[in-house]
Amino acid sequence: MATNLRTLLPLLLLAFLSLSALCTISQAKEDPQLRECRRECSQKPRQQREQCEERCWEKHQQRGREQERERERELVDNPKGEAEKRYGQCREQCEETQHGEAQHKQCVEHCQQRYEQEIRERGQEQGRERGQGKEVDPQERVRQCRKECREEHGERQGRQQCEQRCEEREQRRERGGGRDDLILNPRREEQEEEEEEREERGGENPYVFKQEDFKHKLETEHGNIRVLKNFAKQSKLLLGIANYRLAVVELNPRTFLLPNHWDADDVCYVVKGRGTVTVLKKEEKESHEIRQGDIMKVDAGSVVYVINSDSREKLIIVKLINPVSTPGKFEAFFGAGGENPESFYRAFSDEVLEAAFNTQRDKIERIFGKQRRGPIVRASEEQIRAMTRRSSEGGHLWPFGEGGRYGESKGTFNLLNKRPTFSNQHGELYEADSNDWRQLGDLDVKVSLANITSGSMLAPFYNSRATKIAVVVQGQGRVEIICPHLAKESETRTRRSRERYEEEEEDELNRPGQQGQRYRTIRANLSPGTVFVVPAGHPNVEIASRDENLQIMCFETRAEKNQRIFLAGRNNLLRKMEREAKELAFDTSARKVDELFDSQREEAFVPGPESRRSQHGSGGRGHGREFIESVVEAVAGM
Ligand SMILES: [Cu+2]
């Protein structure tokens, strides 16, 4: 369905654009304002006439654009109207071209189907846009409105009043209930967030997130930055990581992400591709070549710009974000820019800017009025080459930087260049914490990458203190997370509905029949882009499908004193209990307990259920080595 939509939308847009182009042309013939304007021009002296007519034409086009936008809005607000129009046209065509009765009937049916599909898809698209907060319209509209103000009003006062009106108009629109005013109206955003909260999935599966749980923070044809929904909004059970956010930055080949700063610290992991990141803080400038496996830390307030220097591959970076001023919320600030991305300079009053830069308004306009291409732009090969060259001259080019033999430089650390903590034919685990790279200590975060060989699994384990935020990078598989909280929640719910009159805050542990612990198993399929969270203490297991290796990258919070506790395999914790404890705990002979806990000879990565079934525990298909080799090759190829 999603692909259908993607192919259909450009077509719709095209149809719409050509329709509006037609309209513009027909207006050119009929627009009385244009006719009147030109008539006035004809009375002017010959030298002025040409300029005058040009102005008429510009104004006429501006009106056309406005009408176009109006129609676009209508299309959004009233998809049915547009679709109905097309349905009518389609039927007319049937009348004209189809002759036989059966043929005609078929044609009309086809029109009908197309109409219904369009309504459905358009509705879904709107739902999706609302869900993702992909609300670019109002901002764009204000921007455009303010631009027109500047063009129309030379003198400052009139221009500022006009710009004021742009904002007011948007606010009115919002009061009128227009759906596309999210960005301009924080109150509305709150409402949406409340709605989100009401839809809290806490009841069923609060730990797994899909693609649709990401919202685009910015999006252009050359790439995007998308942010996962607030963990605390997803479920109260995730309040422990409420001040972290997860984001994905995706840049198309040969593009440039404009300089910006965030009110948040973050740790970046390069999932794919290569490029250059430049960080400006105070009077320093650092440039770093980045490539797959690199970890970087960006301090709040540093101005950062990024180049994807590759000509074919996307650059994909996953970020763990730690907002510094408002818990769980952060924003991007663009200084360099113009209209799009809007430079924050422009938001200062004119007289302040004139004083600050010690120059005239028009000079300031000339700089901050230019950029309209959006926050991610194409860069030429020469521009990329020049910036990349300079970054390597900066001295931090990995692996020749200041760091040791693991290619550590001041600015980045490559995870894949480190020896894996665990490695066997069923997979390997690469991890880095503050011991490997001091900067990870600031956020108390560990970064890791598990490569689970097809058909294998990462043995069940839990983290003692860390909450794991995992992103599936490659492959397919599944996860199981064991959660007592959810078991309790659903029990409480059923009990409440059964015994509504009883006191709700009754001590659960003292109720007969409620004693002891119960668990709920969260099961989810994994594919690239899936995010899942495993809170501290929760046993979990990740299993690769039989066809492909499963690669999962993780951020783990509260990393410093965290321990990974394996629940099966050679390094399994329970094996360490003494004989008596085993017998008391399991109520059977220690020999039988040992038999069970000793029969898995592998450590950390073990054969998964499917491969066990077919091969009786004799191992997976052994892509683990290949993966290491491919990493080594990639590193050697630098
Ligand atoms: Cu739980």
Side-chain angles (χ1 to χ4, degrees), residues 252-365:
N252 286 353
R254 292 227 178 97
T255 53
F256 179 71
L257 171 62
L258 265 59
N260 65 90
H261 74 263
W262 293 7
D263 51 351
D265 290 317
D266 62 62
V267 176
C268 310
Y269 176 78
V270 182
V271 170
K272 195 179 159 197
R274 62 194 185 99
T276 304
V277 174
T278 302
V279 183
L280 310 176
K281 36 185 163 179
K282 282 181 92 179
E283 279 154 24
E284 275 173 50
K285 171 179 157 275
E286 290 171 16
S287 285
H288 310 289
E289 297 268 297
I290 52 164
R291 55 171 295 130
Q292 186 179 13
D294 271 342
I295 305 168
M296 240 193 105
K297 191 189 160 234
V298 178
D299 293 324
S302 328
V303 172
V304 178
Y305 47 95
V306 186
I307 303 164
N308 177 356
S309 49
D310 201 274
S311 54
R312 280 172 317 214
E313 214 179 6
K314 282 188 177 195
L315 175 63
I316 298 177
I317 300 172
V318 181
K319 280 175 173 244
L320 183 71
I321 295 154
N322 191 208
V324 289
S325 55
T326 316
K329 289 193 176 190
F330 67 96
E331 287 298 338
F333 299 77
F334 289 86
E339 285 180 14
N340 183 16
E342 181 161 31
S343 165
F344 54 71
Y345 282 108
R346 288 163 58 101
F348 284 112
S349 324
D350 285 339
E351 57 268 33
V352 170
L353 283 185
E354 284 178 346
F357 286 108
N358 188 25
T359 186
Q360 303 299 315
R361 185 177 77 82
D362 54 335
K363 282 197 183 142
I364 296 171
E365 271 302 308

Side-chain angles (χ1 to χ4, degrees), residues 600-637:
Q600 177 57 268
R601 301 309 305 162
E602 297 282 5
E603 180 183 61
F605 293 95
V606 302
E610 283 85 3
S611 63
R612 226 190 75 82
R613 218 173 292 140
S614 61
Q615 297 176 20
H616 302 282
S618 62
R621 302 220 302 254
H623 291 285
R625 283 284 140 209
E626 280 169 32
F627 175 74
I628 297 181
E629 276 155 23
S630 76
V631 168
V632 170
E633 258 169 45
V635 168

Side-chain angles (χ1 to χ4, degrees), residues 9-277:
L9 269 179
L11 283 177
L12 279 180
L13 199 65
L14 195 71
F16 163 71
L17 283 178
S18 42
L19 203 70
S20 37
L22 269 173
C23 295
T24 320
I25 293 167
S26 59
Q27 274 156 19
K29 284 183 207 146
E30 290 164 8
D31 183 1
Q33 277 169 294
L34 179 64
R35 211 185 312 134
E36 178 59 25
C37 183
R38 281 182 168 156
R39 200 185 53 77
E40 279 168 21
C41 291
S42 65
Q43 288 161 3
K44 296 203 166 164
R46 185 181 294 272
Q47 308 94 295
Q48 290 174 20
R49 209 173 293 161
E50 201 178 313
Q51 256 190 336
C52 176
E53 283 187 351
E54 217 169 274
R55 271 200 302 279
C56 291
W57 178 247
E58 272 173 17
K59 276 189 185 153
H60 160 74
Q61 283 202 311
Q62 199 174 315
R63 283 193 294 276
R65 280 196 298 272
E66 251 162 38
Q67 281 166 0
E68 211 171 282
R69 278 196 297 278
E70 199 52 53
R71 260 193 301 275
E72 213 166 326
R73 254 170 254 145
E74 263 167 32
L75 177 65
V76 171
D77 294 340
N78 180 20
K80 226 174 156 180
E82 285 293 320
E84 261 163 19
K85 207 185 287 173
R86 263 188 293 277
Y87 177 53
Q89 285 164 353
C90 182
R91 286 190 65 151
E92 270 168 36
Q93 266 176 4
C94 293
E95 304 291 338
E96 282 164 21
T97 52
Q98 310 292 331
H99 300 295
E101 198 180 325
Q103 237 181 344
H104 177 261
K105 199 176 155 211
Q106 209 177 8
C107 178
V108 170
E109 262 168 27
H110 172 75
C111 295
Q112 175 82 22
Q113 276 166 7
R114 218 170 59 179
Y115 166 73
E116 280 165 8
Q117 189 184 6
E118 208 175 298
I119 293 288
R120 241 190 343 263
E121 288 183 349
R122 191 60 213 166
Q124 276 167 1
E125 172 71 1
Q126 277 191 17
R128 198 169 61 87
E129 283 178 3
R130 234 170 279 144
Q132 289 178 342
K134 199 177 113 192
E135 313 280 351
V136 283
D137 276 347
Q139 234 182 1
E140 186 53 45
R141 196 159 45 222
V142 172
R143 215 178 269 142
Q144 186 63 29
C145 176
R146 281 159 71 169
K147 181 180 157 218
E148 281 158 20
C149 290
R150 281 192 298 280
E151 283 166 2
E152 279 166 26
H153 300 268
E155 89 293 9
R156 177 188 300 157
Q157 213 190 350
R159 186 164 49 84
Q160 286 183 344
Q161 277 171 359
C162 175
E163 288 184 348
Q164 188 76 34
R165 279 197 297 278
C166 295
E167 312 254 333
E168 284 167 7
R169 202 150 67 207
E170 279 306 322
Q171 280 159 12
R172 268 203 305 282
R173 198 182 273 276
E174 177 268 320
R175 281 197 293 275
R179 62 154 205 98
D180 45 358
D181 304 294
L182 186 65
I183 284 166
L184 287 170
N185 179 9
R187 203 173 48 77
R188 192 173 171 83
E189 190 176 358
E190 267 167 34
Q191 285 165 358
E192 297 231 342
E193 282 178 2
E194 277 165 24
E195 269 164 39
E196 231 174 58
E197 209 160 1
R198 248 173 277 135
E199 289 165 11
E200 191 185 274
R201 289 186 297 164
E204 30 174 313
N205 189 353
Y207 299 135
V208 182
F209 299 81
K210 299 281 181 201
Q211 292 286 6
E212 51 273 23
D213 292 313
F214 281 93
K215 283 187 176 183
H216 282 84
K217 191 154 194 79
L218 57 90
E219 188 181 22
T220 80
E221 55 179 317
H222 302 301
N224 64 69
I225 297 181
R226 37 189 206 271
V227 182
L228 189 68
K229 78 195 268 196
N230 203 315
F231 292 116
K233 296 270 153 62
Q234 168 89 345
S235 165
K236 289 183 191 71
L237 293 174
L238 298 181
L239 275 174
I241 48 168
N243 198 27
Y244 288 101
R245 301 294 297 267
L246 190 83
V248 178
V249 179
E250 194 175 310
L251 300 183
N252 286 353
R254 292 227 178 97
T255 53
F256 179 71
L257 171 62
L258 265 59
N260 65 90
H261 74 263
W262 293 7
D263 51 351
D265 290 317
D266 62 62
V267 176
C268 310
Y269 176 78
V270 182
V271 170
K272 195 179 159 197
R274 62 194 185 99
T276 304
V277 174

Side-chain angles (χ1 to χ4, degrees), residues 573-595 597-598:
L573 186 75
L574 297 190
R575 286 181 67 200
K576 300 197 173 85
M577 291 198 292
E578 62 265 63
R579 197 192 145 82
E580 290 72 20
K582 283 176 187 160
E583 288 179 346
L584 285 165
F586 290 97
D587 199 17
T588 182
S589 75
R591 192 183 49 80
K592 281 187 182 155
V593 176
D594 289 341
E595 229 174 72
F597 281 99
D598 289 351

